[in-house]
Amino acid sequence: MKLIDPYLEAFRTAISFLNSSNQRIASFKNYCNSKEERPRKFGLDMEVRWNSTYLMLKHLIPYKEIFSVWITTNYGAGLLTNDHWLVAEHMMKFLELFYEATIVLSGVYYPTAPLVLHHLLDIAEHLKKAEADPNFRNIASPMKLKFLKYWENIPLLYSYAFILDPRAKLKGFYNVLDLLATATGISYTVYYGDVKDEMSMLFSKYEEKFGGASRSQRVSMPSAGTGKRKQAWGRIYGGPGASPSFSPSSSSTPSAASELQAYWDSDPVGDWDDSFDLLLWWRDHKLTYPILSIMARDIMSVPVSTVSSESCFSCISRILEDRRRRLLPEHVEMLTCIKDWELGAARQQHQAEDFDLEEKFKNLYLDGEGEGGSSGTGTGSGGTTAGT
């Protein structure tokens, strides 16, 4: 972000120039109407939050031609050049994948742990591609080093969760590690064996605790349905149009001795549709895998992101206001919990589709429809930990 800061400062100056005067806003609105474009203002980002910079560029770039002409006419030539817009477009596309990964992994109402390896692969390939681009090499190389510092050693939990996605199992896990090795240059052969060993040890502990009460419930495994194949799974299994190839002899029925091994050896589920419900699948197969379903439930319940720091700060600011400055710590905790419980009961807790930050940048239209934000400073709640 520091490398492109001179270009970003030009956009911040232009947006501030527009937003600082009602007369200029009215002038820009009239110009948009004359060009048959929906008139709007634009939000300013916060320099220390890359996600707000992405949102600023995302909503500004569609108005490239109109905004450039208006700024040149009213501010003067030279502030926004073609080079500025070229840098902005490339940077927005570069940040888009990180923003989407942050959104998805900050979800609340679906398991996020099984998604980590998907996004690690996306980011590793994204950085590898950026390293080959002369315009991004100086940016991507340090980012890749930092990425590997934290993610070269993949936490076992996320590997367990990925394997416990019935669309992956061991075959998908092996394939995704192979793709990660290609993108990062790191061999995961030893790690693959370690995951199998550690997962077997973990399962044995579950079997000791739950095995006696659940063995009598086992039944044969139902056949898996086939759905629409999505790009992420197509890539793992050999390309967007590829189908996973399995040996018919690899399928097996769980036995009392090796429920985990039977799951590993069985064919991955071919339902790659976005509507596939991972938790529902394990609930429907709890008689087939009585112990493993308990283990899957515990692993899937672990969130990748525990809380959004910016959202937490904003929540506290709504409790500790000017008229309530002498609350005891235990009272603040009570009020925070009650608020969260109320939102939970209404299914309105923090989720990807309801970011206040994104709404502040989006709802700045000047035609009276969806005119939500007024200042667009990007200081609202709902920001993500990765963006702070």
Side-chain angles (χ1 to χ4, degrees):
M1 301 302 289
K2 291 181 180 178
L3 291 175
I4 65 166
D5 192 63
Y7 295 93
L8 294 176
E9 280 299 327
F11 287 107
R12 293 175 184 132
T13 300
I15 293 173
S16 297
F17 177 77
L18 168 62
N19 293 344
S20 61
S21 167
N22 290 333
Q23 184 177 1
R24 294 171 191 157
I25 293 173
S27 172
F28 184 69
K29 178 179 180 180
N30 293 332
Y31 184 64
C32 288
N33 289 330
S34 68
K35 295 296 183 178
E36 298 183 347
E37 287 285 349
R38 189 178 180 186
R40 61 164 297 151
K41 294 190 298 180
F42 304 99
L44 277 173
D45 68 333
M46 295 181 64
E47 297 182 30
V48 295
R49 295 183 62 187
W50 64 265
N51 53 349
S52 66
T53 301
Y54 165 77
L55 291 172
M56 178 183 74
L57 298 176
K58 175 185 176 182
H59 294 289
L60 181 64
I61 287 175
Y63 286 77
K64 170 183 174 181
E65 301 298 333
I66 293 176
F67 191 67
S68 292
V69 172
W70 188 88
I71 285 294
T72 300
T73 303
N74 293 272
Y75 185 92
L79 179 61
L80 297 180
T81 65
N82 289 333
D83 288 341
H84 286 86
W85 289 105
L86 183 63
V87 170
E89 290 172 357
H90 279 78
M91 204 62 196
M92 187 201 72
K93 292 178 181 178
F94 181 73
L95 293 175
E96 184 175 19
L97 182 138
F98 298 99
Y99 184 80
E100 291 177 352
T102 303
I103 293 289
V104 172
L105 295 178
S106 298
V108 171
Y109 298 116
Y110 54 86
T112 52
L115 305 175
V116 171
L117 285 183
H118 289 285
H119 291 283
L120 287 183
L121 177 59
D122 288 340
I123 293 172
E125 292 182 341
H126 189 57
L127 294 176
K128 181 181 179 181
K129 182 179 179 181
E131 277 189 309
D133 186 342
N135 297 318
F136 277 93
R137 187 172 296 133
N138 293 335
I139 296 176
S141 294
M143 288 183 69
K144 185 175 180 179
L145 292 175
K146 182 62 70 68
F147 172 75
L148 293 177
K149 175 183 177 181
Y150 288 102
W151 294 106
E152 177 180 351
N153 299 319
I154 304 171
L156 290 172
L157 174 72
Y158 300 141
S159 296
Y160 297 161
F162 185 83
I163 293 171
L164 289 173
D165 187 329
R167 296 167 293 181
K169 300 188 178 179
L170 279 185
K171 181 177 179 64
F173 180 60
Y174 179 86
N175 289 350
V176 79
L177 289 183
D178 188 53
L179 292 171
L180 268 174
T182 302
T184 62
I186 298 170
S187 174
Y188 287 97
T189 304
V190 175
Y191 178 74
Y192 176 79
D194 291 342
V195 169
K196 289 186 63 178
D197 293 340
E198 294 294 333
M199 193 171 184
S200 297
M201 293 174 60
L202 179 62
F203 177 77
S204 66
K205 295 180 180 179
Y206 273 83
E207 194 169 33
E208 289 176 6
K209 184 174 182 179
F210 301 103
S214 57
R215 279 176 182 157
S216 60
Q217 301 177 2
R218 292 175 181 160
V219 296
S220 61
M221 181 170 51
S223 59
T226 300
K228 184 178 179 182
R229 294 166 183 151
K230 294 299 180 179
Q231 182 177 0
W233 291 105
R235 175 180 53 178
I236 290 173
Y237 287 117
S243 301
S245 57
F246 310 117
S247 171
S249 60
S250 64
S251 296
S252 59
T253 301
S255 65
S258 61
E259 182 182 320
L260 177 62
Q261 188 65 47
Y263 174 80
W264 284 348
D265 293 341
S266 61
D267 293 348
V269 173
D271 188 350
W272 297 350
D273 191 37
D274 285 344
S275 61
F276 180 82
D277 192 326
L278 183 58
L279 297 180
L280 181 62
W281 189 93
W282 277 108
R283 190 192 72 178
D284 292 343
H285 291 74
K286 65 181 180 181
L287 296 181
T288 307
Y289 303 108
I291 302 173
L292 197 59
S293 63
I294 298 173
M295 180 172 155
R297 179 195 63 190
D298 292 344
I299 290 175
M300 298 299 177
S301 65
V302 180
V304 175
S305 176
T306 55
V307 67
S308 166
S309 60
E310 182 67 21
S311 178
C312 182
F313 293 140
S314 299
C315 177
I316 294 300
S317 68
R318 290 190 290 268
I319 294 175
L320 294 175
E321 55 182 77
D322 291 340
R323 294 170 294 179
R324 306 169 72 184
R325 292 180 294 180
R326 302 193 64 179
L327 291 174
L328 296 175
E330 52 266 30
H331 293 162
V332 175
E333 182 178 0
M334 292 176 188
L335 291 170
T336 303
C337 290
I338 291 172
K339 182 65 175 177
D340 187 64
W341 294 337
E342 289 177 346
L343 293 175
R347 303 282 288 184
Q348 293 179 354
Q349 288 167 303
H350 166 70
Q351 54 184 327
E353 296 81 9
D354 294 330
F355 279 151
D356 291 345
L357 176 63
E358 186 162 3
E359 291 300 312
K360 280 186 173 290
F361 282 90
K362 182 179 180 181
N363 295 329
L364 292 172
Y365 293 102
L366 299 170
D367 55 5
E369 299 179 11
E371 189 174 351
S374 56
S375 62
T377 58
T379 59
S381 64
T384 60
T385 304
T388 56

